[in-house]
Amino acid sequence: MPTPSQHSKPAPPLGQLSTPRAAALAGVLFAILLGTTLVLIRIQMPDHVEDSAQWLQSRHGALTTATVLMPFAGISFLWFIGVVRDGFGRHEDRFFLSVFLGSGLLFLAMMFVATAGIAGLVTSNNSVTDSAARIEVINFGRMMVISASQTYALRMAAVFMISLATIWAKTRLMPRWLVVLSYVLAVALLIGSELSRWVTLVFPVWVLVVSGMLLARAGLIGEQSGEGDRSRRLS
């Protein structure tokens, strides 16, 4: 008489998740959304507190749009991080990967803080009736937005670029010119992030270039990652 084990069917093999090639477009979307947000918030922000009050009133719609776009930029950036890490394959380095992930998440957190500060300024601009108190609130909000977005976020973006360029230099997954360009732009962000507000656009432009390279080299990187996975399964 057959046993129950003889009637049971073998379990189907587990499927392996693969990163869709279209996910590399997340970096392009992030670059566009972040660039738009930075132009609406940081680059157009006046230098004087008195002008900022009028700026908050006249640019209410544009600033509200920027606060709505930033969460979607953050989601796209998380996808971009995932796509870049998927390209490492068997070449993944734990040390630089930890720096890469940590700096990327800190950059995103600082940008969220800056955008939340703008949302608070827009909301409180009409609710604060005392002119002296309004100036103090605007001044505090301006300095918080500038510090979060330009002093801290951009320097974390520079660390993100340096760690990623180092991984590329060690693994040769990307061309040498992109590695050198990443180092140069990262140093520029570390040193000159507070010299000009236009420097804030360096990071989204760099992400746009990297995303283009990921799309162009998707087959090569995916093949190298697949070879690494097959070698691990055979060993």
Side-chain angles (χ1 to χ4, degrees):
M1 186 173 183
T3 60
S5 60
Q6 293 176 335
H7 290 286
S8 60
K9 295 181 179 180
L14 295 178
Q16 183 179 4
L17 291 176
S18 60
T19 302
R21 184 173 182 177
L25 293 173
V28 178
L29 182 61
F30 164 75
I32 296 174
L33 293 178
L34 180 64
T36 303
T37 302
L38 290 175
V39 170
L40 292 176
I41 293 180
R42 179 66 192 99
I43 294 179
Q44 295 187 6
M45 180 181 292
D47 295 327
H48 303 287
V49 180
E50 293 78 6
D51 299 331
S52 295
Q54 183 179 2
W55 171 70
L56 288 171
Q57 187 68 32
S58 61
R59 303 288 295 176
H60 180 275
L63 294 175
T64 303
T65 301
T67 59
V68 172
L69 292 179
M70 189 59 211
F72 295 98
I75 296 172
S76 302
F77 186 65
L78 292 177
W79 276 86
F80 172 74
I81 291 177
V83 172
V84 171
R85 184 183 178 185
D86 181 71
F88 296 157
R90 61 186 176 88
H91 304 290
E92 192 171 83
D93 183 282
R94 292 184 179 180
F95 174 77
F96 288 104
L97 179 66
S98 300
V99 180
F100 164 73
L101 293 176
S103 57
L105 295 178
L106 283 173
F107 161 78
L108 191 58
M110 290 297 100
M111 288 305 304
F112 279 169
V113 169
T115 309
I118 284 293
L121 284 177
V122 172
T123 304
S124 63
N125 187 45
N126 295 325
S127 60
V128 180
T129 57
D130 189 355
S131 59
R134 177 183 297 181
I135 292 177
E136 293 297 329
V137 170
I138 293 176
N139 188 37
F140 173 79
R142 285 180 65 257
M143 298 310 299
M144 188 198 71
V145 171
I146 294 174
S147 298
S149 63
Q150 201 156 339
T151 302
Y152 296 100
L154 286 185
R155 285 183 168 86
M156 288 298 100
V159 176
F160 179 86
M161 297 166 66
I162 291 174
S163 59
L164 188 54
T166 304
I167 295 176
W168 287 339
K170 294 175 60 178
T171 59
R172 300 180 182 178
L173 289 174
M174 285 294 181
R176 186 174 182 83
W177 67 264
L178 183 58
V179 174
V180 175
L181 179 64
S182 300
Y183 280 128
V184 172
L185 294 180
V187 173
L189 287 179
L190 285 174
I191 298 176
S193 61
E194 297 179 359
L195 298 180
S196 174
R197 60 184 63 183
W198 289 100
V199 179
T200 57
L201 293 179
V202 168
F203 186 63
V205 171
W206 175 82
V207 171
L208 187 62
V209 173
V210 172
S211 300
M213 291 298 301
L214 289 175
L215 288 172
R217 297 166 61 90
L220 176 61
I221 296 177
E223 182 180 351
Q224 292 176 352
S225 301
E227 291 176 356
D229 295 336
R230 286 194 297 269
S231 63
R232 284 197 297 265
R233 290 196 297 266
L234 293 175
S235 60

